[in-house]
Amino acid sequence: MSEENNNSEVGGIAADRLRSLIERIERLEEEKAALGSDIRDIYAEAKSAGFDVKIMRAIIKLRKMNAADRDEQEFLLETYKKALDI
Amino acid sequence: MSEENNNSEVGGIAADRLRSLIERIERLEEEKAALGSDIRDIYAEAKSAGFDVKIMRAIIKLRKMNAADRDEQEFLLETYKKALDI
Amino acid sequence: MSEENNNSEVGGIAADRLRSLIERIERLEEEKAALGSDIRDIYAEAKSAGFDVKIMRAIIKLRKMNAADRDEQEFLLETYKKALDI
Amino acid sequence: MSEENNNSEVGGIAADRLRSLIERIERLEEEKAALGSDIRDIYAEAKSAGFDVKIMRAIIKLRKMNAADRDEQEFLLETYKKALDI
DNA sequence: CTGCCATTTTACCGGC
DNA sequence: GCCGGTAAAATGGCAG
């Protein structure tokens, strides 16, 4: 048997399939890391332009929290309605 | 040397100190787990009394989020003031 | 009717009972958070004493697991590593 | 002056520039979140195919670490286990 | 038994 | 260059 191929069964598991899945995940994680890097670059750019990074992060967090809060309110309303058979 | 005591130095580390720290942590984690269990009991009690546990969780979460949101707003305000030397 | 008391029935819900349950939960969650804080303090203390916190966490996790589970995990990991030629 | 445009200077801050930076960051964070979602999908697929997700994560972590770090961790863990008679 | 949610843990980023 | 804090990921537990 060749060494690289046909390792479909190693120790009772589908090795090729496993390898494929893991490589897909690793690829996506690389892209994700790249985006993280892009984001860092923008913060650096902002800092160079004289903005306060900490404040920027706080603003972004706040915008996210407001959205989450709104969603939660809607969810709560829906759940109440459901609970009360409205 | 006895086996249980005087293991102050095992593989170059202060074994007794390490053991002590770990046991303290484990003790606190037990207490923490017990509280978690108590909380679960109250939810069970609430359910028995006819309340909707999911709604209760949503309410508690919302109360926490509101508090966090308020804190965040205050923090942001403070940070702005600081940034602007007010 | 006074406003704060006797709101036993609001929209068909035993409001007082609900409020009581929620407050009990929130109280317990505070205590739980306090214990979490204590635990963090001990880890900080351990770190100051020169111990590796990450390894300590691993040790505590191991002590929580029973031998059978530990062996099972180890075996699976070896199998996967073999399948991937690691 | 119109209200939406030309707010280049608000309280001494280049508001437009700030808004632009924040929106770019938020856009990238959305993409990042989408990738995270894709990754979760693959793990779900792997699980359906009978693989152990937890072990897969461990494998991916191992592949990310270099040999030296891996050995160092392993050595420390052994040392601590010995110190605690595990 | 599966999926969801909360908690815990890890890794990153900014400040000193 | 290191430390501390903050945000993201991952694991474990609970409900349905």
Side-chain angles (χ1 to χ4, degrees):
Chain A
M1 190 189 285
S2 73
E3 285 174 349
E4 290 297 323
N5 303 314
N6 292 329
N7 60 340
S8 311
E9 281 275 338
V10 176
I13 70 167
D16 285 343
R17 183 78 197 281
L18 178 60
R19 182 186 301 273
S20 160
L21 289 163
I22 283 180
E23 284 172 356
R24 282 167 64 200
I25 290 167
E26 286 175 338
R27 178 79 179 81
L28 291 171
E29 283 189 344
E30 271 174 46
E31 291 180 40
K32 197 150 152 269
L35 283 172
S37 173
D38 292 346
I39 290 169
R40 250 174 283 131
D41 289 346
I42 300 183
Y43 277 118
E45 181 186 339
K47 189 174 182 176
S48 297
F51 293 107
D52 183 314
V53 170
K54 195 171 181 181
I55 291 184
M56 286 180 65
R57 287 186 188 277
I59 290 172
I60 288 171
K61 186 178 172 187
L62 205 49
R63 283 162 66 116
K64 242 190 287 196
M65 280 187 76
N66 289 147
D69 198 71
R70 222 178 308 125
D71 292 348
E72 184 70 17
Q73 302 265 11
E74 277 172 30
F75 164 75
L76 187 55
L77 181 61
E78 284 312 305
T79 311
Y80 271 120
K81 284 164 76 172
K82 213 167 146 188
L84 301 173
D85 294 320
I86 296 178
Chain B
M1 190 190 284
S2 73
E3 284 173 349
E4 291 296 323
N5 301 316
N6 293 330
N7 59 342
S8 311
E9 280 277 338
V10 176
I13 69 167
D16 285 343
R17 183 79 198 280
L18 178 61
R19 183 187 300 272
S20 160
L21 289 162
I22 284 181
E23 285 172 357
R24 281 166 65 200
I25 290 166
E26 286 175 337
R27 177 78 180 82
L28 290 171
E29 283 189 345
E30 271 174 46
E31 290 180 42
K32 194 147 153 274
L35 283 172
S37 174
D38 291 347
I39 290 168
R40 253 176 282 129
D41 289 348
I42 299 183
Y43 277 118
E45 181 186 338
K47 189 176 183 177
S48 297
F51 293 108
D52 184 313
V53 169
K54 195 171 180 180
I55 291 184
M56 287 179 65
R57 286 187 189 277
I59 291 172
I60 288 171
K61 188 177 171 187
L62 205 48
R63 283 162 64 118
K64 245 190 287 198
M65 281 186 75
N66 289 146
D69 197 71
R70 221 177 310 126
D71 292 349
E72 184 69 18
Q73 301 265 11
E74 277 171 29
F75 165 74
L76 186 56
L77 181 62
E78 285 312 304
T79 311
Y80 270 123
K81 285 165 74 174
K82 213 165 146 188
L84 301 172
D85 293 319
I86 298 178
Chain C
M1 188 190 286
S2 74
E3 284 175 348
E4 291 296 324
N5 301 315
N6 293 330
N7 58 341
S8 310
E9 284 270 339
V10 176
I13 293 177
D16 286 344
R17 182 78 197 282
L18 178 60
R19 177 186 304 273
S20 160
L21 289 162
I22 284 179
E23 285 172 356
R24 280 167 64 200
I25 290 166
E26 286 176 337
R27 179 77 180 79
L28 290 171
E29 283 190 345
E30 272 174 47
E31 291 181 41
K32 195 151 154 268
L35 283 172
S37 173
D38 292 346
I39 289 168
R40 252 175 284 125
D41 289 346
I42 299 183
Y43 277 118
E45 181 186 338
K47 187 177 182 175
S48 299
F51 293 107
D52 184 310
V53 169
K54 191 172 179 178
I55 302 291
M56 284 178 68
R57 288 186 191 276
I59 290 281
I60 288 172
K61 194 180 276 188
L62 281 176
R63 282 163 65 112
K64 252 193 278 204
M65 285 178 76
N66 66 48
D69 292 343
R70 227 180 303 161
D71 292 349
E72 170 69 10
Q73 285 236 348
E74 189 62 22
F75 170 73
L76 259 183
L77 184 61
E78 284 313 306
T79 306
Y80 279 38
K81 281 166 79 169
K82 215 165 152 185
L84 299 170
D85 298 319
I86 297 179
Chain D
M1 188 190 287
S2 73
E3 285 175 347
E4 292 296 323
N5 302 316
N6 292 330
N7 59 341
S8 310
E9 284 272 337
V10 177
I13 293 176
D16 285 343
R17 182 79 196 282
L18 178 61
R19 179 187 304 273
S20 160
L21 289 163
I22 283 178
E23 284 172 357
R24 281 166 65 200
I25 289 166
E26 286 176 337
R27 178 78 181 79
L28 290 172
E29 282 189 345
E30 271 174 46
E31 291 180 43
K32 194 152 155 265
L35 284 173
S37 173
D38 292 346
I39 290 169
R40 252 176 281 125
D41 289 347
I42 301 182
Y43 277 118
E45 182 186 337
K47 186 177 182 175
S48 297
F51 293 107
D52 184 311
V53 169
K54 189 175 180 177
I55 302 291
M56 285 179 66
R57 288 187 191 276
I59 291 282
I60 288 172
K61 195 180 277 187
L62 281 176
R63 283 164 64 113
K64 249 191 282 202
M65 285 177 76
N66 67 48
D69 293 343
R70 223 181 306 161
D71 292 350
E72 170 69 11
Q73 284 237 346
E74 189 62 25
F75 169 74
L76 259 184
L77 185 60
E78 285 312 308
T79 307
Y80 280 38
K81 282 167 79 169
K82 214 164 152 186
L84 299 170
D85 298 319
I86 297 180

